Each structure stands twice: as structure tokens, then as C-alpha cells.
Amino acid sequence: MSADQSRRFCVLSWDQVQRLDSILGEAIPIHGRGNFPTLSVQPRQIVQVVRARLEERGVCVRDVRLNGSAASHVLHQDTGLGYKDLDLIFGVSLRDDQAFRLVKDVVLDCLLDFLPAGVSKERITALTLKEAYVQKLVKVCNDTDRWSLISLSNNTGKNVELKFVDSLRRQFEFSVDSFQICLDSLLLFDRCSKTPMSESFHPTVIGESVYGDFQEAMEHLCQRTIATRTPEEIRGGGLLKYCHLLVRGFRPSSEADMKQMQRYMCSRFFIDFPDIGEQQRKLEAYLQNHFVGMEHKRYECLMTLHQVVNESTVCLMGHERRQTLSLISMLALKVLAEQNAIPTVTNVTCYYQPAPYVQDINFSNYYIAHVQPPPVTACSSSYQTWLPCS
């Protein structure tokens, strides 16, 4: 291993191993839809079961890793981020569609093992389990990325996300979410050791930063610094994550870095979500999934997004930019109404200049905004809503 490669890795301390063990042993409810019962699942249990079942079916699992905010929490408890989703990555080979189907079938079959005693399993099909317990199914298969995601439902937003990765070109957005912790040694210890872990007797657990420099990424995490590499590769959702970090007290390392990141991320957002309807769906889904228990932060996040889009969007025509800003303002107003933070929600004065296409007989220096969003079709057009940056 070269010096550059070794900088990616670090051995976890005893305190970090204890936090990891606690997360893997926490019982997480998987809520069923309709009359289906709630499943109680420990992450270490579902990893062991899924891995064993895959290997029985001839699928070799290279390793299993904890990823994302949960991994950051293990490494530094006071991140300011907390963690919601539990992201578990299984390294597998996904050569063809049959391999993708096999992985999905194995996971759904494993859910049967977690049904409460007394539940009749004979007539429960894989399709039934998918409808009852799976919140999201994603399959990506192209020249650079081959992976699938199965997200198990949790009503409080703490979803267990099982990600099966053959190849993935971009595995992080910012250095603070670039950490992955290999679970193999800890899971092997669970199976083989009858002696409880202690400071003098515990497995060696390795952490990796796919950002490329573990210590630098840890400094960013501890100091709440926003940094990345090749920001032009960050997909459109990275803009929302960036605003989320700003709201949580993270700051870019320099003014120049901030301006460059914001321009790239705004451009990519409008490339990935060119239609106003897609933008609205993405924003609403992000607010719903990432602010459970922190609803009071939604308005601040939207206002931060409004400022970033207003200052850093360079690839849109003027009316398209105003259209997106109006959408963000409308969602912010809706959030305030849900929090009962405004006196009346049917007639609220917003101090911003409306887009030219807004028709309102009462308009005079102010725009009287209504909580009900305008029909998406009214804003949709057949033209492209982004232009190449020159």
C-alpha cells in the first residue's frame, strides 16, 4: 500500500469501537403498512442474516461497511449532524439483471425471519413484503455505477438502508460524509468470541475516508468545515446537503471555495432537476426525510437555499431563476404555516419581487402569496431550463 493510499485509513479507538457496537446493537423498528406488524431489527442481525443468505446463494460479499452520518457519529460524537438513516454497504458483484434480482429477493426473504412469533408466513410473498416494509427501491446500472438500494421503512425517518455496490464512481459529497467503517472484524468477533469486548480485548476496526485523507476529513468534521474534491461531480442533491450543513453551523474553508462550490452545485441541480415540478418534488422529499425531529430548521434551510440560488445561479435565464426562487419562497411560507409561525396563512405579505408572469389584481409593490402552491403545470414549459456554462 502506497503512502497516499494509507492516508485514507485509520484504526478506530476503543471509544469509537464502543459507539459502533452500540449502534449495531440498537433495536430499530421497521414499520409495516396496513395491518402488517412492526419488525424489531438490530443492524448487526440483519447484516449477518443477509450476508449468510447471499453466500448460500453463491454471491460473494467482499465486505460490509457502515456509511454516512452514522459512521461520522461513531468517529466524532459531537458532529452537530446526528444521524438518522443507517446506511449499510455490501460489496458484491452485480454482473447482470439476474444478480440485481437475486439481491432483492434475498433481502425480502430475510424479512420473514424478523416477523413476530405467531405470524403465519406461508402465504406472504416477496411482493407482499416489498409493499409492506420497503420504502424505496433503487437500481443504478451504467458504465461507471452498478449498485442497488433497498430502504426499509421507519416512521421517524430512521431508515435502515441496505446498499449493494459493485462499482460507484462518486461515493461522497463532502469530506464530513466521506467516512466508511468496515464491520467485518466486529461481526466476526460476535460470531467467534465468547469473551465480551473490553479495552484490552477487542477487534481491530478500520475506518476509511473516501475523500482521500482520513485525518484531514476528521479535522473538517471536528471543526465543522465544508470541503470537497471535484465539486463538478457532485449530483444535484448535493446543493441541498450543502445548505443543510450551513444551517447546522458548518462553514466553507474559504470565500473562494464557497463561491466555486455554490456555482457548480447550482448548475448541477438544474441539470438533474430541469423541470419546476421535479424541483418541487425533490425539495419536498428532502425536507420530509432529513428534518424529522428538527422541523423548526426547515424554514432556515429554505431561506439559505434561496440565498445560494439567488447569488450563485449562472446557467439559467432570468425568468427560470425567478420561477425557482418563487417556488422556494412558497415552500418556506408553507413551512411557517405548518409551524403556526405566522398569524394567518391565507393572506401573507412576502417582501420579494414576484416573477413577471404572476398575475394578481392586488399587486402593488408587494405580492400577496397564498399557501396553496400553484399547479405545477402552470410553470412547466417545453423549453430547457438550463444552459451550458460558458
Side-chain angles (χ1 to χ4, degrees), residues 2 35 37 45 72 124 133 138 145 157 193 196 201 205 233-234 296 323 337 365 370 386 388:
S2 68
N35 294 324
Q45 290 178 328
S72 299
I124 300 179
Y133 294 109
V138 178
D145 297 335
S193 176
F201 183 69
V205 180
E233 293 180 0
I234 299 177
H296 62 287
Q323 180 175 276
N365 297 327
H370 298 276
W386 62 274

Side-chain angles (χ1 to χ4, degrees), residues 36-239:
F36 279 84
T38 297
L39 312 182
S40 181
V41 175
Q42 289 184 5
R44 60 172 15 108
Q45 290 178 328
I46 197 165
V47 167
Q48 299 277 32
V49 171
V50 169
R51 183 172 197 161
R53 206 69 58 85
L54 284 171
E55 291 176 347
E56 286 174 9
R57 301 287 295 272
V59 177
C60 178
V61 179
R62 296 188 299 271
D63 56 19
V64 182
R65 297 175 173 228
L66 181 67
N67 183 55
S69 58
S72 299
H73 176 79
V74 167
L75 296 171
H76 181 59
Q77 194 168 13
D78 187 24
T79 61
L81 291 173
Y83 74 95
K84 289 292 182 183
D85 292 343
L86 203 70
D87 302 325
L88 297 162
I89 298 178
F90 294 74
V92 295
S93 174
L94 298 170
R95 297 183 303 275
D96 49 33
D97 285 342
Q98 184 177 355
F100 280 94
R101 285 195 299 272
L102 176 60
V103 163
K104 182 184 72 172
D105 292 344
V106 163
V107 172
L108 295 176
D109 184 57
C110 289
L111 294 180
L112 288 172
D113 294 1
F114 295 95
L115 286 169
V119 175
S120 177
K121 304 176 183 179
E122 286 74 16
R123 296 184 180 181
I124 300 179
T125 64
L127 179 61
T128 303
L129 288 168
K130 180 174 78 71
E131 294 298 324
Y133 294 109
V134 175
Q135 183 188 55
K136 182 168 57 177
L137 274 174
V138 178
K139 173 186 173 183
V140 175
C141 184
N142 56 44
D143 292 340
T144 58
D145 297 335
R146 298 181 69 86
W147 56 271
S148 67
L149 172 72
I150 301 174
S151 179
L152 305 179
S153 299
N154 178 280
N155 294 343
T156 64
K158 198 169 191 175
N159 300 323
V160 176
E161 300 205 330
L162 308 178
K163 195 170 188 176
F164 300 87
V165 176
D166 184 318
S167 60
L168 184 57
R169 182 180 61 174
R170 178 85 184 197
Q171 298 188 61
F172 73 102
E173 292 170 324
F174 305 99
S175 61
V176 295
D177 64 9
S178 69
F179 298 105
Q180 298 181 359
I181 299 173
C182 187
L183 304 180
D184 295 348
S185 60
L186 187 58
L187 297 175
L188 180 62
F189 187 93
D190 286 346
R191 295 197 304 269
C192 300
S193 176
K194 296 181 180 179
T195 305
M197 285 195 307
S198 66
E199 186 170 4
S200 59
F201 183 69
H202 64 269
T204 299
V205 180
I206 303 296
E208 178 183 2
S209 169
V210 291
Y211 170 75
D213 189 318
F214 191 96
Q215 293 305 324
E216 184 179 331
M218 274 297 294
E219 288 178 11
H220 294 161
L221 184 63
C222 296
Q223 297 171 8
R224 301 195 179 190
T225 300
I226 303 175
T228 191
R229 300 191 194 278
T230 55
E232 66 275 8
E233 293 180 0
I234 299 177
R235 298 192 65 82
L239 174 63

Side-chain angles (χ1 to χ4, degrees), residues 256-269:
D257 287 346
M258 179 188 72
K259 290 182 177 179
Q260 182 191 41
M261 276 194 296
Q262 290 184 177
R263 283 196 299 269
Y264 275 126
M265 287 186 293
C266 286
S267 297
R268 187 59 191 257
F269 180 82

